[in-house]
Amino acid sequence: MDVNVDLLTLPVEPGDRLLLCSDGLTTVCEDDEIADVVFRFPPCEAVERLIQMANAAGGYDNITAVIAEV
């Protein structure tokens, strides 16, 4: 089985947050909604809220999210 992985290299600075997530989140939630949650709440709370938000929007696929803070 082949797996296609999206890779992106960006400079990071202290305080930046990186969201790693499955398409179960991004196919049902808008980018601006996701960004609002990621930056408004502490990482652990933001992940929980993102999963709840995706489930409330239909959540028909698996929903995985991890936030890393620099």
Side-chain angles (χ1 to χ4, degrees), residues 24-62:
L25 176 65
T26 58
T27 56
V28 296
C29 298
E30 297 295 323
D31 291 349
D32 58 337
E33 294 175 304
I34 294 170
D36 181 58
V37 171
V38 168
F39 290 108
R40 190 164 19 132
F41 299 99
C44 288
E45 184 178 350
V47 165
E48 291 177 16
R49 287 176 178 265
L50 290 170
I51 292 170
Q52 290 170 354
M53 192 168 68
N55 280 323
Y60 58 87
D61 196 1
N62 64 352

